[in-house]
Amino acid sequence: MHINHLKTFAVAADTLNFTKTAQRLDYAQSSVTAQIKALEKEYGIELFQRLGKRIYLTEAGIKMQSYAKRILTLHDEMRQEFEEGMEEKGTILIGACESQCIYRLPALLRFIRSRYPQVQVILKPVPSSKTSEQMLQEGELDVAFIMDRDREYGSLESVSLFEEDIVLIGSPNHPLSVQSTAGLDEVMQHPLILTEKGCSYRMELEQVLEEQNLYAENIIEFGSIEAIKQCVKAGLGFSYLPLMTVQNELESGELKAVRLDVPIKQPTTKLLWHKDKRMTKVIQDVIEFARKHME
């Protein structure tokens, strides 16, 4: 049974006139007749009987009319659900490094929650931009916020939002913290407490160290920025972190920014998504929010 045959029958049962049915549905009258006959053949029943110039519903036609109303109502509900409602439900998968998750994305999550209360947001901490790219390629993420240099991403779309400010931090009591500038060679005489390998701003630091022929022999790695900050506060070494993650501690004096005598390239925060990704209303609004409020 084709749903259009049922719609035609429902109109014909209401008008009891095939000519009016054809006019209402913008069909040829022969098409109305053919669809009614197709229904009758499928169910082995007679839906209409003709008495003189008028037609009437048979007993089977009256029962069919009742079923048709219910089926068409459900069909309309289903169509509305999929055509209008599904983009305001379901799940959106957002990837980002830990610092973005904690310090940048709460405003975005509030926006999604207020605009799409029935959408489930899954925020996945991803340690590196390379991992985010791979997860986007494999459909494990819908969008991803990364820190990276300006470059092309093949099958991924990207929009640059802003340049990050990454700072070297130390204990306020450390001698290097009170100098006007510090050399990397001086810093390297102390332990470095860094995020995991693959982190974009760690890679920029390591590139400068390589250019300066300096090699870190004492590196402590943590997956948690909060753990790194606590170790630096305790005077265990220096770290290189996004300013947004240490702003409060710098203002309160718990940490001190160390000014280096060599520049280190600062990464750009970008939003990425796959070119072939179906652009639901939720994803479109997330991209638009990032462009307007995070640039």
Side-chain angles (χ1 to χ4, degrees):
M1 177 187 67
H2 196 287
I3 195 70
N4 285 339
H5 294 176
L6 207 57
K7 290 179 180 178
T8 299
F9 166 75
V11 175
D14 180 54
T15 62
L16 295 176
N17 188 303
F18 284 8
T19 301
K20 290 182 179 180
T21 299
Q23 291 172 347
R24 184 180 296 184
L25 297 175
D26 197 23
Y27 287 160
Q29 186 170 333
S30 59
S31 179
V32 172
T33 302
Q35 290 185 42
I36 298 298
K37 287 186 178 298
L39 273 177
E40 291 178 328
K41 181 179 180 181
E42 181 172 356
Y43 291 99
I45 57 176
E46 186 178 5
L47 296 172
F48 296 94
Q49 62 181 353
R50 182 176 295 276
L51 295 176
K53 295 183 178 180
R54 302 186 62 183
I55 62 171
Y56 297 88
L57 286 170
T58 62
E59 184 176 348
I62 294 172
K63 290 182 179 180
M64 176 68 80
Q65 185 181 35
S66 176
Y67 281 114
K69 287 180 179 179
R70 285 186 285 171
I71 292 172
L72 291 173
T73 297
L74 285 173
H75 177 264
D76 289 341
E77 289 177 4
M78 181 178 67
R79 184 176 59 184
Q80 183 175 2
E81 177 79 10
F82 285 106
E83 290 183 354
E84 300 175 8
M86 285 306 291
E87 293 191 355
E88 297 182 5
K89 298 180 182 178
T91 302
I92 182 169
L93 302 168
I94 302 174
C97 63
E98 182 196 8
S99 57
Q100 298 279 11
C101 290
I102 297 173
Y103 298 95
R104 295 271 189 227
L105 298 189
L108 173 62
L109 301 184
R110 285 195 299 270
F111 165 77
I112 298 173
R113 181 63 181 168
S114 63
R115 182 71 63 89
Y116 302 100
Q118 297 185 72
V119 168
Q120 180 185 8
V121 181
I122 298 179
L123 187 57
K124 292 189 175 184
V126 184
S128 71
S129 60
K130 288 292 184 184
T131 304
S132 291
E133 290 175 52
Q134 182 178 352
M135 293 177 73
L136 286 168
Q137 295 282 9
E138 296 175 355
E140 296 178 27
L141 295 174
D142 293 315
V143 297
F145 290 87
I146 69 168
M147 296 183 193
D148 198 7
R149 289 187 171 189
D150 290 332
R151 61 186 180 88
E152 296 296 323
Y153 295 94
S155 60
L156 302 180
E157 296 279 5
S158 70
V159 55
S160 296
L161 300 175
F162 48 83
E163 185 179 275
E164 289 287 352
D165 193 359
I166 316 296
V167 294
L168 186 74
I169 56 167
S171 165
N173 300 320
H174 197 284
L176 289 183
S177 299
V178 297
Q179 294 180 191
S180 57
T181 59
L184 269 177
D185 57 339
E186 296 178 282
V187 174
M188 294 302 292
Q189 296 174 22
H190 305 276
L192 285 179
I193 308 168
L194 301 176
T195 50
E196 297 171 301
K197 287 185 178 180
C199 173
S200 59
Y201 48 87
R202 173 175 170 171
M203 292 171 64
E204 296 291 356
L205 171 63
E206 290 173 335
Q207 180 170 329
V208 173
L209 291 175
E210 185 177 347
E211 292 170 355
Q212 298 284 322
N213 293 316
L214 297 171
Y215 299 94
E217 297 182 357
N218 193 352
I219 291 182
I220 304 171
E221 287 186 6
F222 282 104
S224 165
I225 288 178
E226 190 59 37
I228 292 174
K229 291 194 292 184
Q230 293 302 321
C231 288
V232 176
K233 288 179 186 179
L236 298 180
F238 293 91
S239 187
Y240 191 62
L241 293 174
L243 177 61
M244 62 179 168
T245 67
V246 295
Q247 186 75 58
N248 291 338
E249 289 83 357
L250 292 176
E251 292 177 356
S252 67
E254 297 175 87
L255 292 172
K256 182 78 173 180
V258 180
R259 186 184 299 273
L260 293 170
D261 61 356
V262 292
I264 301 177
K265 186 174 180 61
Q266 304 292 279
T268 298
T269 285
K270 302 177 181 181
L271 177 60
L272 272 61
W273 64 95
H274 201 286
K275 291 180 178 179
D276 297 331
K277 187 70 181 178
R278 188 173 73 89
M279 287 288 101
T280 66
K281 189 68 168 62
V282 180
I283 295 176
Q284 291 178 40
D285 282 354
V286 165
I287 295 171
E288 188 65 17
F289 180 92
R291 282 177 165 149
K292 285 186 176 180
H293 301 285
M294 299 178 71
E295 283 186 326

